Amino acid sequence: MATKILKQYQENAVEELITKSKWLLAKSTEKRTIVFQAPTGSGKTFMMSQYIAELIEELKDKDLCFIWLSPGKGGLHEQSFKSIKKEFVGFPVAYLLEEEFFGSRRGIEKNEVVVGNWEKLSNKDGKTGEWKSKLMKDKETVNFRELIENTRKSGLKIILIIDESHSRDKADRAFELRDQIIKADLTIEMSATPILHEGEYNEKVEVQPNDVIEQGMIKKEILINEDIDKIDDDEKTSQELVMEIAYHKRLKLRKLYEKEGIEINPLVLVQIPTSDAGDDKKEFIESFLAEKGITKDNGKLAVWLTDEKINQEAELITKNNDKVEFLIFKQAVDTGWDCPRAQILVKFREIKSLVFEIQTIGRILRMPEIIHYKNDELNKAFVYTNVKSFTVSPEKTNPNIIKSIRMEREKIYYPLKLRSYYHNRVDYGDITSSFNDILEKEFCSYFLVKKGDFSPSTIKKNVELLKKKSIVLNNIIGKDEIILNKNVPTELFDTLSEEIKSDKNFQAHLSEDDKMRAFENIIKRNLNGYAPKRSLPIVKNALYRWFKKYVGINLLIGGMVQIQNIVLNNHEIFEKLFDKSVRAYEPIKEEEIKEKISEAEEWNNEWEIEEKRNYNPYVYKPHTYKLSIYKYPKDKKVYLNFDSNIEEEFIDYLEEHKGKILWWWQNGNEHMALNFGIKYNGGSTFQPDFLVMFKSGKLGIFDTKASGDREDVNKLKAEALQRYIIEENKRKKKEIIFGGLIIKQGQHLRINSDESYEPFKESEQVKEKGKMYASKSVQRGWQYFEV
């Protein structure tokens, strides 16, 4: 029984992991591998603990055991052990490899979870090739190799979980341990940055970074050297500067927490070089902090080094209100260590160049209470370094989170005091677990099956009821491969050559993957707009459960393949059933969204463009525009991210009219309270692309669009913008705001500022009393944009 509740993205990931695990375990293939990619701070350990517990529950009749291997840095495997043991609350049982085994125990038992350190297990002497770990060496008691062999001989299937799999410095030895010794029936490689490439694994389950941020699990952004305008060349001055700024930033954050009534004592991590210079840095840091009243003796300073460990007990220092304020370390907490109140990292220069990447700063990424706070300063992490020149590594999974370019607002700006709307994202456009009951009801109704009756005699009757509805079951029940007895439309397949498509017997050419995609496409075609990636696992799981309960199909023995056979060979019926179920689910979904929106709305009646703003140099590129309200102080360039060509063309137009325009600002495309937002469609946030201040004193709010693209959404946003303008001018008691949707038609920009929006139609005309006129939607609704 879990002590925490799964977030929606975690629930989806666990369900997808279970579905794909059962699918792979049922297949006769070697090296079954799932890559589980989830961002740092997403709760990988928690999700995996729930996966284990739920898989055991779903595969009750299967003899399983689990081996969980973590890297050894910072005692991560011990931390993982404590975490999963806490979540299991007694079942399943978890053991530390070095504590429980190699005495009288000869093998792992059913449903047991054994946690070990894969670095120690895989380590060999470079000269002799002998195993270094006592756990691997031949001895009187059972070693790890014998433990695995005995376990396999007992008939148990081994599921291997490799935590932080990207950390395998000696990959060959790690793979030897995985492939030649453990030889797991299923391996799950778990990491924020997997090292396996496509073709080296069977399935992949991926958690999106934005989902993790929106759920309040991790910080919204990481700012590097905020408020450091100049790093002095003098070593002493620069190291004092970064420590001084980090010290005051911590005090500021502490006061902000107190103001919000939150009992959190923010922690500063100070990373010193691994070289001999690290000792000198440590001495300086301790002296600097002692002058501030922060020492090891009073418990406010902790040290976590190989040869010195003071005040760093994990059970205490990770508590949100622990009195430790600064922690000095080298590499021990680089990987996997979890202290969510850590919010500031000070990193002193190494001899080699300094590169910031997500693994380096992941320790300050988590949110202490798994929520985002109203004060956005508390939703950020801060890094300070005394290195004048450093590199930010491109981050693939969460490209915009590390922000090192700090732009400043020009002095010509004066307060806008706009009313801005924001809410944490409450919906991801997906089908949720509440769909299970809807599908069950719709399927039972169609097949005339009695809902809630799962008795053996009833199941036999249900099979006959399916046959009466013309469901083809012959020669497809009991098969462990997908069988197509009927012609299936080729549009159900993603990619097929023209030769195969034209072949009447094209089924013979299809691989198992082709058929699997066809099955999934039957569902995708009937999701009616819901996000396929998130919704597909939910719908498939609901389908499998219905057949298990009402038709008696055993999911453990090829059951999922049998269900896929039934759907594929009766696709006309099931397409209608999926469509009907999804439509019946829509009002349930709407109620779920309404409940969430009411809890998440946030209004700011005096919103302003931030005085300073940080950007990622890989997502935002430098430009030489002159009228931007933001500039990078060092070179006066502006860093921008364009979603479309029309945004660039709109800025070019503004720049050509500097006689009338004072400044312009590109509204951020990230969903956050720092950006300007307008409420639309009952509770969604619309962030118009540009604010433009004219020299006349008027403010323009503009959103650039491609003509004809998503006009249903354009109508909602355009009309919400016009309502906002009317209400805001009324609130300010003067007509100073205007704006609308901008498109480019031919060589000209056009604007629509109508309260009732109609899409642009280039050549539409109407006939009235024998004369031809341009329609109102062209003549009035879409004017040429002129400043």
Side-chain angles (χ1 to χ4, degrees), residues 171-411:
D172 290 343
R173 292 178 185 174
F175 288 136
E176 180 185 358
L177 180 68
R178 183 193 72 178
D179 299 335
Q180 298 180 25
I181 296 174
I182 299 177
K183 298 177 185 175
D185 295 275
L186 174 65
T187 299
I188 298 179
E189 299 256 355
M190 180 167 65
S191 173
T193 53
I195 60 174
L196 294 184
H197 303 292
E198 194 168 343
E200 296 178 317
Y201 57 85
N202 303 94
E203 297 286 347
K204 186 174 185 179
V205 176
E206 189 172 357
V207 172
Q208 298 301 319
N210 283 342
D211 297 348
V212 182
I213 293 173
E214 293 293 348
Q215 290 288 317
M217 294 288 288
I218 61 178
K219 307 289 196 307
K220 292 183 177 180
E221 52 188 359
I222 301 169
L223 308 185
I224 299 179
N225 279 352
E226 184 197 43
D227 297 331
I228 294 184
D229 297 318
K230 185 178 180 182
I231 297 292
D232 197 287
D233 286 333
D234 181 72
E235 172 72 13
K236 183 175 183 296
T237 304
S238 69
Q239 64 183 17
E240 286 179 356
L241 176 63
V242 294
M243 285 300 296
E244 192 73 36
I245 290 178
Y247 170 77
H248 286 290
K249 173 61 74 172
R250 200 202 77 82
L251 291 179
K252 180 183 177 182
L253 292 172
R254 180 65 190 264
K255 289 179 181 178
L256 290 175
Y257 280 119
E258 290 174 352
K259 187 177 179 181
E260 297 286 333
I262 303 166
E263 193 177 356
I264 290 173
N265 187 26
L267 177 67
V268 180
L269 304 180
V270 185
Q271 186 170 15
I272 59 177
T274 56
S275 61
D276 293 340
D279 295 332
D280 295 333
K281 287 288 188 292
K282 178 174 175 290
E283 185 178 339
F284 157 73
I285 294 162
E286 289 183 354
S287 174
F288 173 89
L289 293 175
E291 293 179 5
K292 309 287 187 183
I294 301 168
T295 67
K296 291 181 282 189
D297 291 337
N298 65 19
K300 293 184 178 181
L301 173 63
V303 178
W304 191 346
L305 302 173
T306 303
D307 55 357
E308 184 181 7
K309 293 180 173 64
I310 298 173
N311 300 327
Q312 49 67 251
E313 293 82 2
E315 291 80 3
L316 299 176
I317 197 172
T318 56
K319 289 184 177 179
N320 284 341
N321 60 354
D322 185 72
K323 64 179 180 180
V324 173
E325 298 175 357
F326 283 76
L327 168 65
I328 299 173
F329 74 102
K330 286 186 178 179
Q331 288 184 326
V333 300
D334 260 3
T335 303
W337 183 69
D338 190 6
C339 183
R341 71 182 181 98
Q343 197 162 356
I344 301 169
L345 171 65
V346 175
K347 191 171 176 69
F348 286 104
R349 69 167 62 127
E350 298 269 7
I351 296 175
K352 56 187 178 181
S353 62
L354 183 58
V355 178
F356 283 111
E357 54 189 4
I358 201 70
Q359 281 83 17
T360 308
I361 54 184
R363 301 313 105 215
I364 56 172
L365 198 55
R366 292 169 173 81
M367 290 298 294
E369 296 182 307
I370 317 182
I371 58 168
H372 285 146
Y373 303 110
K374 286 189 176 181
N375 189 322
D376 231 21
E377 191 78 356
L378 299 177
N379 302 322
K380 302 174 184 176
F382 304 89
V383 178
Y384 298 104
T385 177
N386 67 334
V387 180
K388 287 180 66 176
S389 179
F390 55 83
T391 303
V392 175
S393 178
E395 170 58 26
K396 293 181 180 179
T397 60
N398 198 354
N400 199 30
I401 195 164
I402 305 175
K403 299 176 179 179
S404 58
I405 299 295
R406 189 164 181 80
M407 291 201 293
E408 296 182 1
R409 199 176 64 196
E410 298 280 81
K411 292 180 180 179

Side-chain angles (χ1 to χ4, degrees), residues 448-537:
L448 304 178
V449 166
K450 185 178 180 182
K451 189 173 181 291
D453 188 349
F454 319 128
S455 63
S457 59
T458 303
I459 286 175
K460 288 182 179 179
K461 294 178 183 176
N462 292 344
V463 172
E464 296 304 315
L465 288 172
L466 262 66
K467 290 180 179 178
K468 286 183 179 179
K469 286 288 187 177
S470 301
I471 296 295
V472 177
L473 299 175
N474 295 335
N475 198 33
I476 55 177
I477 290 289
K479 297 290 183 181
D480 60 0
E481 61 179 343
I482 298 178
I483 305 295
L484 289 178
N485 289 336
K486 296 176 63 177
N487 283 334
V488 179
T490 54
E491 62 262 26
L492 291 177
F493 299 90
D494 294 326
T495 54
L496 286 174
S497 69
E498 290 303 316
E499 177 186 353
I500 292 177
K501 283 186 178 180
S502 63
D503 184 354
K504 293 181 180 179
N505 299 313
F506 76 94
Q507 286 95 332
H509 297 269
L510 299 175
S511 67
E512 289 297 299
D513 289 341
D514 287 331
K515 297 169 190 173
M516 180 65 176
R517 283 198 298 271
F519 162 72
E520 291 184 343
N521 283 340
I522 290 173
I523 298 175
K524 288 179 182 178
R525 281 160 42 122
N526 294 283
L527 290 177
N528 298 325
Y530 289 107
K533 189 169 185 177
R534 294 171 170 275
S535 304
L536 189 60

Side-chain angles (χ1 to χ4, degrees), residues 30-161:
E30 294 183 354
K31 294 184 181 179
R32 306 176 188 91
T33 303
I34 298 175
V35 166
F36 179 34
Q37 182 172 359
T40 300
S42 59
K44 291 190 292 292
T45 303
F46 176 51
M47 284 186 276
M48 192 53 60
S49 68
Q50 300 313 296
Y51 158 80
I52 291 172
E54 291 185 25
L55 189 67
I56 288 172
E57 178 65 25
E58 292 218 14
L59 302 181
K60 284 181 180 178
D61 300 329
K62 228 173 186 62
D63 295 330
L64 303 175
C65 70
F66 301 83
I67 298 176
W68 183 307
L69 298 182
S70 298
K73 294 177 183 178
L76 179 59
H77 75 293
E78 295 177 357
Q79 182 181 322
S80 299
F81 167 68
K82 290 174 183 177
S83 297
I84 62 177
K85 189 174 182 180
K86 179 181 177 182
E87 296 304 332
F88 288 158
V89 196
F91 183 84
V93 180
Y95 296 108
L96 262 182
L97 180 64
E98 60 263 37
E99 288 183 359
E100 175 66 16
F101 295 89
F102 316 115
S104 58
R105 292 286 301 269
R106 295 188 55 80
I108 306 170
E109 295 182 4
K110 181 177 179 179
N111 296 336
E112 284 185 341
V113 182
V114 180
V115 181
N117 179 333
W118 58 254
E119 281 185 274
K120 289 183 179 178
L121 288 173
S122 61
N123 206 4
K124 281 186 174 183
D125 187 290
K127 293 181 179 179
T128 66
E130 296 291 326
W131 298 104
K132 282 189 174 182
S133 172
K134 293 179 181 179
L135 303 177
M136 298 294 288
K137 290 180 177 180
D138 293 326
K139 52 185 178 177
E140 292 183 6
T141 55
V142 175
N143 63 31
F144 181 75
R145 290 173 290 143
E146 293 166 335
L147 178 79
I148 295 298
E149 188 177 349
N150 294 339
T151 301
R152 198 180 294 110
K153 284 180 179 178
S154 71
L156 264 65
K157 288 187 178 294
I158 299 174
I159 295 180
L160 172 64
I161 298 162

Side-chain angles (χ1 to χ4, degrees), residues 8 11 431-439 538 585 588-589 592:
Q8 184 61 58
E11 184 178 327
I431 290 174
T432 62
S433 56
S434 55
F435 178 76
N436 290 339
D437 291 336
I438 302 298
L439 181 138
I538 300 293
Y585 165 75
I588 306 297
K589 178 71 172 181
E592 288 179 348

